Amino acid sequence: MLTIRTVAVVHRQSLILGISLVVALSLVMPAWAVVPSESLMPMSTRGYLSVGDISTLGESWQHTQLGQLVQDESMKPFVQDLKSQIQRKITSVREKLGLELADLKNVAGGEIGLGLVERTNDRAALLLTVDVTGRMEQTKELLRQVDRELKKRGATQSQDVFSDTTFVTYEIPPQRKSGIKQDAIFFVKDDMLCASDNRLELEGVCRRLNDIPSSCLGDEKPYREAMRRCAREAEQLQPELRWFVNPFGYARACRSLRPLGENRYGKDYLKILTSQGFDAIQGLGGFVNVSPTGAYELLHRTAVYAPSEKVEQQVDDGSNDSPDKVDRAQDKYRLAMRMLDFPNGSNLIPQTWLPRKLATYRTFNLNLAGAFNSFGSLFDAIAGYEDSFKGVLEGLELDPYGPQVDVEKELIAHLSNRITVVTDYVVPITTKSERFLFIVELDDEAAIHATIEKFMKSDPNAYRHDFEGREVWEIVENDDEVMELDISITSLDPLPPGEEEASLEEDEDAVPTSAVCVTDGHLLIASHLDFLKSVLSQKKIDGTLANSSDYREVDITLSQLMSGDVSFRFFLRTDEAYRPTYELLRQGKMPESETLLGRVLNRMLTPPEDEDEGILRKQKIDARELPSFEMVRRYFGPAGLIVRSETDGWFIAGATLNKQLPQARVDVKIPADHQSAIR
């Protein structure tokens, strides 16, 4: 589930991302620099962003529905406030170099490159390169602005010459109690503005500008493979944004930037995941196009490079005739990394009984038996001792007060490989309105029904119900065992005007319940009993998801982007998915949100001083004057993404569509080998 959640987070286009993209979209670029930034960044660059054409990207952003939304007069105070907070939180450029990314808008005559560089036994370095061709006067003014900003912080300036290039260095004293002394170094050479907080890394950039041989990011195989794969799919469509991350290197680089002595985490999950083989994921990177046609808000392609790790099994070389005595490459990956086995298939259409009214729909193939057999080593590593997972399984099978179930033989063996996750929310919107349903296809429904019955009958908090001819198990959680989940209501439809307050008062003490059902060849596990009932209900007043026009439109788009068998298909109604976040902002309750998107937003906006202490963030944005969500719903179009498993990783393609212009989809360039999917 950790992997599923990570994929969902990485590729979920969110309200906050859409609005805050204004921050990044204020800076895009026209033609490539004489020396592209990938050739200036060192091979040890672990996170990288390249913006190709500021003017083109800015114009493209203005044409999107979200671009139009943030220009609305009623949204401007909120957008400006949010923009400034996100700038302070998510970018270290101002803190380290004394400038904002938006400041580069007037100086960039070409590409902007930004990289985070991992350094051995040292803090990670930030590198910035800007093609300032034709913008020298603006560049000089920017450097004067930087000088004023850094000297306000008490910085001292010095100059020296390195390789016939003048380096300007600022020594910045600590700015807070837990801070450290920092340097900010700049030079301008051959129409390139380059800056860093590490002298040695900036010297490396200077040498590469002087054509002195030195390894660079463009030489790194994971980077090359990711960019090559995306370029092959995009063909002639050039991206406005390119990005790359080495996930484990990036995590190490970020860790190096913590204050000395700080250890915010109990277990070292980076070390655990590395030891379990997940470092086989050597890099992921992609192309992003903003409004490539009027009908597309966003078009993105991502390649995950995870080449096979051939694990040679040592076997007995005695006289036994067993074929196992022959050396062989047993697995593509090792240990728990083997869980990431997502077979491609053609069976990922929505179940016919899923209702139309859902916020998100995610379905994928997973080798469940293989994942189960590979999970034990990860469980043991997290628990901290060997055979802990084995002990849990033995307890479930042998405990006289437990379900007495052999999990592998009675549960896993009868599950198919397809999993579906759908989400929605209830109104009135609260911090706990989001709900979800897991759906697993079955190979043997009768066997799973018997197994679930064993589990439920051994649980004193489980109660059996009959619902429209189906057996549904409700699990009533004890208040002192789990945190309260949600207000229970009997319908997913919005409450009539005037009933919100009464409903809140009536249900505020409701006991949280989850639910399980085995039916129609599926195992269903829901976060809320009412949500499960609404999905199972025979009354599909608004039709089914498969027949809804927006789902079909997204499905056709995804098939154009990637034809043939795939392992994942995601569908997102951004208006429905973003509504809880929007409403909580209006209520001033965003810091308390328990939705996935809400947690991401809170993480982005929590001040460092509160983050260190674990303090609940206070909402600093005054969103009370935001228009009602019904007034802005039209700006949020449907979205989706699709994933194919490949021999050396995964390839992902996705799009967010413009609600107003569905007829213009065919304007996007589709690779020739995908054309059959359109016919």
Side-chain angles (χ1 to χ4, degrees):
M1 292 307 172
L2 174 64
T3 301
I4 298 167
R5 194 174 184 87
T6 302
V7 171
V9 170
V10 171
H11 294 285
R12 184 176 184 172
Q13 296 89 5
S14 64
L15 170 64
I16 184 59
L17 182 58
I19 295 178
S20 64
L21 198 56
V22 176
V23 179
L25 295 180
S26 302
L27 35 113
V28 198
M29 29 187 231
W32 287 116
V34 176
V35 181
S37 63
E38 65 179 22
S39 298
L40 296 177
M41 300 284 171
M43 186 177 282
S44 53
T45 301
R46 304 310 185 201
Y48 169 73
L49 174 67
S50 167
V51 186
D53 187 326
I54 275 186
S55 58
T56 300
L57 181 55
E59 291 172 4
S60 298
W61 170 248
Q62 300 299 326
H63 293 154
T64 66
Q65 289 184 287
L66 284 175
Q68 296 167 20
L69 171 62
V70 299
Q71 295 175 67
D72 190 299
E73 287 297 326
S74 63
M75 296 290 293
K76 283 186 177 179
F78 167 78
V79 170
Q80 186 57 42
D81 193 4
L82 179 61
K83 176 180 175 180
S84 61
Q85 290 203 43
I86 292 175
Q87 282 179 317
R88 289 194 297 268
K89 176 61 181 177
I90 69 172
T91 179
S92 59
V93 177
R94 182 178 186 277
E95 179 181 350
K96 293 179 179 296
L97 302 179
L99 54 82
E100 303 281 5
L101 290 179
D103 296 334
L104 302 177
K105 180 179 180 180
N106 294 325
V107 303
E111 182 194 15
I112 299 171
L114 186 65
L116 183 67
V117 181
E118 183 181 17
R119 292 182 54 79
T120 303
N121 299 321
D122 195 3
R123 291 169 58 84
L126 184 71
L127 273 179
L128 174 69
T129 64
V130 187
D131 179 355
V132 295
T133 302
R135 306 289 178 87
M136 195 54 62
E137 288 305 316
Q138 294 92 326
T139 302
K140 291 178 180 178
E141 176 55 35
L142 174 62
L143 292 176
R144 286 191 288 267
Q145 174 185 319
V146 168
D147 182 84
R148 292 191 294 269
E149 168 65 25
L150 295 182
K151 286 182 177 178
K152 285 181 182 178
R153 304 184 200 173
T156 58
Q157 186 220 68
S158 62
Q159 296 186 20
D160 67 291
V161 176
F162 174 83
S163 188
D164 296 327
T165 303
T166 300
F167 278 41
V168 179
T169 301
Y170 294 88
E171 295 184 7
I172 310 169
Q175 300 298 297
R176 55 177 181 264
K177 186 176 180 180
S178 60
I180 62 171
K181 182 181 76 67
Q182 298 185 88
D183 292 337
I185 312 103
F186 301 82
F187 74 76
V188 179
K189 178 181 177 63
D190 298 336
D191 289 322
M192 293 293 297
L193 167 64
C194 302
S196 180
D197 59 344
N198 185 284
R199 169 74 183 226
L200 294 178
E201 294 299 341
L202 200 62
E203 289 179 357
V205 172
C206 187
R207 282 191 290 269
R208 286 184 281 274
L209 268 175
N210 289 331
D211 293 327
I212 298 175
S214 176
S215 60
C216 64
L217 176 62
D219 298 325
E220 179 79 343
K221 186 173 183 179
Y223 173 81
R224 292 201 320 269
E225 290 298 316
M227 295 299 105
R228 178 192 62 80
R229 186 70 182 86
C230 292
R232 189 176 81 191
E233 291 291 326
E235 292 193 336
Q236 302 304 313
L237 183 63
Q238 295 299 313
E240 281 90 17
L241 299 168
R242 292 184 303 127
W243 62 276
F244 174 77
V245 172
N246 175 318
F248 287 85
Y250 185 81
R252 291 191 301 267
C254 290
R255 278 190 174 187
S256 73
L257 298 175
R258 295 182 197 164
L260 293 176
E262 178 188 302
N263 184 11
R264 194 181 306 161
Y265 310 100
K267 293 184 179 294
D268 189 341
Y269 287 100
L270 180 62
K271 182 178 180 180
I272 289 172
L273 292 174
T274 301
S275 70
Q276 289 295 309
F278 288 96
D279 56 348
I281 303 176
Q282 297 179 18
L284 57 157
F287 288 4
V288 178
N289 292 94
V290 179
S291 190
T293 73
Y296 287 81
E297 295 279 282
L298 189 72
L299 182 64
H300 59 90
R301 294 178 171 93
T302 298
V304 181
Y305 182 64
S308 173
E309 295 183 356
K310 296 296 184 180
V311 180
E312 297 295 332
Q313 182 182 27
Q314 301 299 317
V315 295
D316 184 6
D317 60 353
S319 59
N320 193 303
D321 293 331
S322 169
D324 284 344
K325 70 180 182 179
V326 180
D327 289 350
R328 65 183 185 272
Q330 183 183 16
D331 295 294
K332 182 177 181 180
Y333 301 119
R334 62 186 178 88
L335 298 176
M337 177 64 185
R338 299 170 185 164
M339 293 191 302
L340 305 191
D341 183 2
F342 304 107
N344 295 319
S346 58
N347 62 329
L348 299 181
I349 60 175
Q351 291 82 354
T352 57
W353 39 266
L354 282 178
R356 186 198 68 80
K357 189 188 180 302
L358 292 170
T360 69
Y361 164 80
R362 303 177 179 91
T363 189
F364 57 95
N365 293 322
L366 171 65
N367 179 355
L368 278 168
F372 176 81
N373 291 328
S374 302
F375 178 65
S377 62
L378 178 61
F379 188 97
D380 292 353
I382 294 174
Y385 58 94
E386 292 184 4
D387 295 330
S388 56
F389 186 58
K390 180 180 178 181
V392 171
L393 297 180
E394 289 178 348
L396 291 172
E397 182 179 5
L398 304 176
D399 186 349
Y401 300 103
Q404 298 185 353
V405 169
D406 184 324
V407 173
E408 183 172 11
K409 293 181 179 180
E410 296 182 64
L411 182 65
I412 301 299
H414 305 301
L415 302 178
S416 184
N417 287 341
R418 184 185 176 190
I419 299 174
T420 302
V421 184
V422 298
T423 67
D424 212 341
Y425 61 89
V426 293
V427 292
I429 299 298
T430 71
T431 58
K432 303 172 183 178
S433 283
E434 194 170 54
R435 51 207 41 217
F436 62 84
L437 172 67
F438 286 93
I439 305 167
V440 184
E441 283 191 359
L442 308 177
D443 288 333
D444 189 333
E445 182 176 341
I448 293 296
H449 186 277
T451 300
I452 293 301
E453 190 170 46
K454 284 186 178 182
F455 272 108
M456 295 299 105
K457 286 184 175 180
S458 68
D459 187 345
N461 296 320
Y463 301 89
R464 184 185 181 281
H465 300 277
D466 288 320
F467 177 73
E468 296 186 359
R470 295 180 173 93
E471 180 180 82
V472 175
W473 290 92
E474 176 188 18
I475 300 94
V476 181
E477 307 290 356
N478 291 330
D479 288 338
D480 57 350
E481 290 182 358
V482 298
M483 58 185 178
E484 183 180 0
L485 291 180
D486 210 338
I487 297 170
S488 177
I489 65 171
T490 57
S491 171
L492 289 177
D493 293 330
L495 292 173
E499 293 190 14
E500 292 187 5
E501 184 176 348
S503 177
L504 280 168
E505 293 176 356
E506 179 181 347
D507 292 330
E508 63 182 358
D509 296 325
V511 177
T513 66
S514 53
V516 178
C517 180
V518 179
T519 183
D520 297 326
H522 295 84
L523 168 63
L524 286 71
I525 305 172
S527 60
H528 297 75
L529 175 62
D530 288 333
F531 187 31
L532 178 62
K533 287 182 175 180
S534 71
V535 171
L536 292 177
S537 176
Q538 301 295 330
K539 299 177 182 179
K540 299 292 189 290
I541 299 175
D542 296 327
T544 63
L545 177 66
N547 292 327
S548 61
S549 59
D550 54 354
Y551 173 81
R552 293 201 308 271
E553 189 177 7
V554 169
D555 187 61
I556 291 172
T557 298
L558 296 179
S559 296
Q560 291 176 349
L561 293 174
M562 191 185 298
S563 64
D565 292 351
V566 295
S567 54
F568 287 73
R569 291 186 89 93
F570 290 1
F571 169 69
L572 172 71
R573 288 190 173 104
T574 61
D575 53 355
E576 299 294 339
Y578 300 164
R579 182 179 177 184
T581 299
Y582 188 91
E583 296 290 3
L584 290 175
L585 281 168
R586 293 182 71 204
Q587 298 171 22
K589 296 181 179 179
M590 194 62 242
E592 305 166 41
S593 174
E594 295 179 7
T595 67
L596 178 61
L597 176 56
R599 290 172 180 174
V600 172
L601 175 59
N602 287 328
R603 180 71 174 173
M604 291 173 67
L605 296 182
T606 299
E609 58 271 17
D610 290 351
E611 194 175 77
D612 294 342
E613 300 297 328
I615 299 173
L616 180 66
R617 180 179 68 87
K618 294 182 180 179
Q619 181 165 318
K620 298 182 178 180
I621 302 171
D622 186 357
R624 291 173 298 179
E625 301 303 319
L626 281 176
S628 70
F629 189 74
E630 294 305 320
M631 296 292 292
V632 301
R633 181 189 290 273
R634 67 183 184 276
Y635 292 108
F636 301 104
L641 67 84
I642 193 167
V643 182
R644 172 176 289 136
S645 297
E646 302 186 334
T647 56
D648 59 354
W650 299 269
F651 187 76
I652 304 162
T656 301
L657 310 185
N658 187 304
K659 272 187 176 180
Q660 310 300 323
L661 300 169
Q663 71 280 2
R665 308 276 186 246
V666 294
D667 291 343
V668 171
K669 174 67 176 176
I670 305 298
D673 61 341
H674 292 171
Q675 292 296 330
S676 59
I678 307 175
R679 302 188 185 104

Short mmCIF file of all heavy atoms in Angstrom, two decimals, residues 44-47 96 115-119 122-125 246-258 270:
data_model
loop_
_atom_site.label_atom_id
_atom_site.label_comp_id
_atom_site.label_asym_id
_atom_site.label_seq_id
_atom_site.Cartn_x
_atom_site.Cartn_y
_atom_site.Cartn_z
N SER A 44 26.63 14.31 -10.11
CA SER A 44 26.05 14.06 -8.78
C SER A 44 24.80 14.90 -8.52
O SER A 44 24.32 14.97 -7.38
CB SER A 44 27.09 14.35 -7.70
OG SER A 44 27.64 15.65 -7.86
N THR A 45 24.22 15.51 -9.56
CA THR A 45 22.97 16.25 -9.41
C THR A 45 21.85 15.25 -9.15
O THR A 45 21.61 14.35 -9.95
CB THR A 45 22.66 17.07 -10.67
OG1 THR A 45 23.73 17.99 -10.91
CG2 THR A 45 21.36 17.83 -10.52
N ARG A 46 21.13 15.41 -8.05
CA ARG A 46 20.09 14.45 -7.66
C ARG A 46 18.67 14.95 -7.91
O ARG A 46 17.74 14.16 -7.97
CB ARG A 46 20.24 14.08 -6.18
CG ARG A 46 21.61 13.55 -5.80
CD ARG A 46 22.07 12.44 -6.70
NE ARG A 46 23.33 11.84 -6.27
CZ ARG A 46 24.14 11.16 -7.05
NH1 ARG A 46 23.84 11.02 -8.34
NH2 ARG A 46 25.25 10.64 -6.57
N GLY A 47 18.52 16.25 -8.03
CA GLY A 47 17.23 16.82 -8.40
C GLY A 47 17.48 17.93 -9.40
O GLY A 47 18.40 18.74 -9.22
N LYS A 96 19.20 30.93 0.10
CA LYS A 96 20.60 30.62 -0.16
C LYS A 96 21.27 31.66 -1.06
O LYS A 96 22.46 31.96 -0.87
CB LYS A 96 20.71 29.24 -0.81
CG LYS A 96 20.33 28.09 0.12
CD LYS A 96 20.45 26.77 -0.60
CE LYS A 96 20.09 25.61 0.31
NZ LYS A 96 21.01 25.47 1.44
N GLY A 115 19.52 22.84 -9.95
CA GLY A 115 19.91 21.50 -9.53
C GLY A 115 20.27 21.43 -8.06
O GLY A 115 20.81 22.39 -7.50
N LEU A 116 19.97 20.28 -7.44
CA LEU A 116 20.41 19.98 -6.08
C LEU A 116 21.48 18.90 -6.19
O LEU A 116 21.23 17.82 -6.74
CB LEU A 116 19.25 19.49 -5.21
CG LEU A 116 19.59 19.21 -3.75
CD1 LEU A 116 19.96 20.52 -3.02
CD2 LEU A 116 18.44 18.51 -3.03
N VAL A 117 22.68 19.21 -5.69
CA VAL A 117 23.85 18.36 -5.90
C VAL A 117 24.23 17.67 -4.59
O VAL A 117 24.42 18.33 -3.56
CB VAL A 117 25.04 19.20 -6.41
CG1 VAL A 117 26.26 18.30 -6.65
CG2 VAL A 117 24.66 19.93 -7.70
N GLU A 118 24.34 16.34 -4.63
CA GLU A 118 24.78 15.59 -3.46
C GLU A 118 26.30 15.64 -3.37
O GLU A 118 27.00 15.47 -4.36
CB GLU A 118 24.31 14.14 -3.56
CG GLU A 118 24.68 13.30 -2.35
CD GLU A 118 24.25 11.86 -2.47
OE1 GLU A 118 23.95 11.41 -3.60
OE2 GLU A 118 24.22 11.16 -1.43
N ARG A 119 26.80 15.87 -2.14
CA ARG A 119 28.24 15.95 -1.91
C ARG A 119 28.63 14.98 -0.79
O ARG A 119 27.94 14.88 0.22
CB ARG A 119 28.65 17.37 -1.54
CG ARG A 119 28.50 18.36 -2.69
CD ARG A 119 28.96 19.77 -2.29
NE ARG A 119 30.31 19.78 -1.76
CZ ARG A 119 31.42 19.74 -2.50
NH1 ARG A 119 31.32 19.67 -3.82
NH2 ARG A 119 32.61 19.76 -1.94
N ASP A 122 29.33 16.15 3.11
CA ASP A 122 29.15 17.60 3.10
C ASP A 122 27.67 17.90 2.84
O ASP A 122 26.91 17.02 2.43
CB ASP A 122 30.02 18.22 2.00
CG ASP A 122 30.18 19.74 2.15
OD1 ASP A 122 29.65 20.29 3.13
OD2 ASP A 122 30.81 20.35 1.27
N ARG A 123 27.31 19.14 3.07
CA ARG A 123 25.95 19.56 2.76
C ARG A 123 25.72 19.59 1.26
O ARG A 123 26.62 19.91 0.49
CB ARG A 123 25.68 20.95 3.35
CG ARG A 123 25.62 20.98 4.86
CD ARG A 123 25.62 22.41 5.37
NE ARG A 123 24.51 23.20 4.84
CZ ARG A 123 23.28 23.23 5.34
NH1 ARG A 123 22.99 22.48 6.40
NH2 ARG A 123 22.35 24.00 4.81
N ALA A 124 24.50 19.27 0.84
CA ALA A 124 24.16 19.34 -0.58
C ALA A 124 24.28 20.78 -1.06
O ALA A 124 24.12 21.74 -0.30
CB ALA A 124 22.74 18.83 -0.81
N ALA A 125 24.57 20.94 -2.35
CA ALA A 125 24.76 22.26 -2.94
C ALA A 125 23.62 22.57 -3.90
O ALA A 125 23.08 21.68 -4.57
CB ALA A 125 26.09 22.33 -3.67
N ASN A 246 16.91 11.60 -8.84
CA ASN A 246 17.44 10.33 -8.35
C ASN A 246 16.87 10.19 -6.94
O ASN A 246 17.31 10.89 -6.02
CB ASN A 246 18.97 10.38 -8.32
CG ASN A 246 19.59 9.14 -7.69
OD1 ASN A 246 19.13 8.63 -6.68
ND2 ASN A 246 20.68 8.67 -8.28
N PRO A 247 15.86 9.33 -6.73
CA PRO A 247 15.08 9.40 -5.48
C PRO A 247 15.89 9.19 -4.21
O PRO A 247 15.72 9.94 -3.23
CB PRO A 247 14.01 8.32 -5.66
CG PRO A 247 14.53 7.43 -6.73
CD PRO A 247 15.36 8.29 -7.63
N PHE A 248 16.79 8.21 -4.20
CA PHE A 248 17.55 7.96 -2.97
C PHE A 248 18.67 8.99 -2.80
O PHE A 248 18.94 9.42 -1.68
CB PHE A 248 18.09 6.53 -2.98
CG PHE A 248 17.02 5.50 -2.74
CD1 PHE A 248 16.25 5.03 -3.79
CD2 PHE A 248 16.75 5.05 -1.47
CE1 PHE A 248 15.24 4.11 -3.58
CE2 PHE A 248 15.75 4.13 -1.23
CZ PHE A 248 14.98 3.66 -2.29
N GLY A 249 19.28 9.38 -3.90
CA GLY A 249 20.28 10.45 -3.80
C GLY A 249 19.67 11.75 -3.37
O GLY A 249 20.25 12.51 -2.57
N TYR A 250 18.46 12.05 -3.89
CA TYR A 250 17.77 13.28 -3.51
C TYR A 250 17.43 13.27 -2.02
O TYR A 250 17.58 14.29 -1.33
CB TYR A 250 16.51 13.45 -4.34
CG TYR A 250 15.78 14.75 -4.13
CD1 TYR A 250 16.20 15.91 -4.76
CD2 TYR A 250 14.69 14.83 -3.27
CE1 TYR A 250 15.55 17.12 -4.57
CE2 TYR A 250 14.03 16.03 -3.06
CZ TYR A 250 14.46 17.17 -3.72
OH TYR A 250 13.81 18.36 -3.50
N ALA A 251 16.98 12.12 -1.52
CA ALA A 251 16.65 12.01 -0.10
C ALA A 251 17.89 12.22 0.76
O ALA A 251 17.85 12.91 1.79
CB ALA A 251 16.02 10.65 0.19
N ARG A 252 19.01 11.64 0.34
CA ARG A 252 20.26 11.85 1.10
C ARG A 252 20.69 13.31 1.06
O ARG A 252 21.14 13.88 2.07
CB ARG A 252 21.37 10.96 0.52
CG ARG A 252 21.20 9.48 0.74
CD ARG A 252 22.48 8.72 0.38
NE ARG A 252 22.87 8.92 -1.01
CZ ARG A 252 22.52 8.13 -2.02
NH1 ARG A 252 21.73 7.10 -1.79
NH2 ARG A 252 22.94 8.38 -3.25
N ALA A 253 20.54 13.94 -0.12
CA ALA A 253 20.92 15.34 -0.24
C ALA A 253 20.07 16.22 0.67
O ALA A 253 20.59 17.12 1.34
CB ALA A 253 20.78 15.79 -1.70
N CYS A 254 18.78 15.96 0.72
CA CYS A 254 17.89 16.74 1.60
C CYS A 254 18.24 16.52 3.06
O CYS A 254 18.21 17.46 3.86
CB CYS A 254 16.43 16.36 1.33
SG CYS A 254 15.81 16.92 -0.28
N ARG A 255 18.57 15.29 3.41
CA ARG A 255 18.96 15.02 4.79
C ARG A 255 20.20 15.81 5.20
O ARG A 255 20.32 16.24 6.34
CB ARG A 255 19.25 13.52 4.97
CG ARG A 255 18.03 12.67 5.17
CD ARG A 255 18.45 11.27 5.57
NE ARG A 255 17.30 10.45 5.91
CZ ARG A 255 17.40 9.23 6.41
NH1 ARG A 255 18.60 8.71 6.64
NH2 ARG A 255 16.32 8.54 6.71
N SER A 256 21.11 15.98 4.27
CA SER A 256 22.35 16.68 4.60
C SER A 256 22.11 18.14 4.95
O SER A 256 22.98 18.78 5.54
CB SER A 256 23.33 16.59 3.42
OG SER A 256 22.92 17.43 2.34
N LEU A 257 20.95 18.67 4.58
CA LEU A 257 20.66 20.07 4.83
C LEU A 257 20.00 20.31 6.19
O LEU A 257 19.73 21.44 6.56
CB LEU A 257 19.75 20.62 3.72
CG LEU A 257 20.36 20.59 2.32
CD1 LEU A 257 19.32 21.03 1.29
CD2 LEU A 257 21.60 21.47 2.25
N ARG A 258 19.71 19.23 6.93
CA ARG A 258 19.15 19.41 8.26
C ARG A 258 20.16 20.08 9.19
O ARG A 258 21.37 19.92 9.03
CB ARG A 258 18.78 18.06 8.88
CG ARG A 258 17.68 17.29 8.20
CD ARG A 258 17.45 16.03 9.01
NE ARG A 258 16.71 15.04 8.26
CZ ARG A 258 16.65 13.76 8.62
NH1 ARG A 258 17.32 13.35 9.68
NH2 ARG A 258 15.95 12.92 7.91
N LEU A 270 15.07 5.39 4.88
CA LEU A 270 15.91 5.44 3.69
C LEU A 270 16.87 4.26 3.68
O LEU A 270 17.05 3.59 2.65
CB LEU A 270 16.67 6.77 3.65
CG LEU A 270 17.60 6.98 2.45
CD1 LEU A 270 16.80 6.97 1.16
CD2 LEU A 270 18.35 8.29 2.61
#
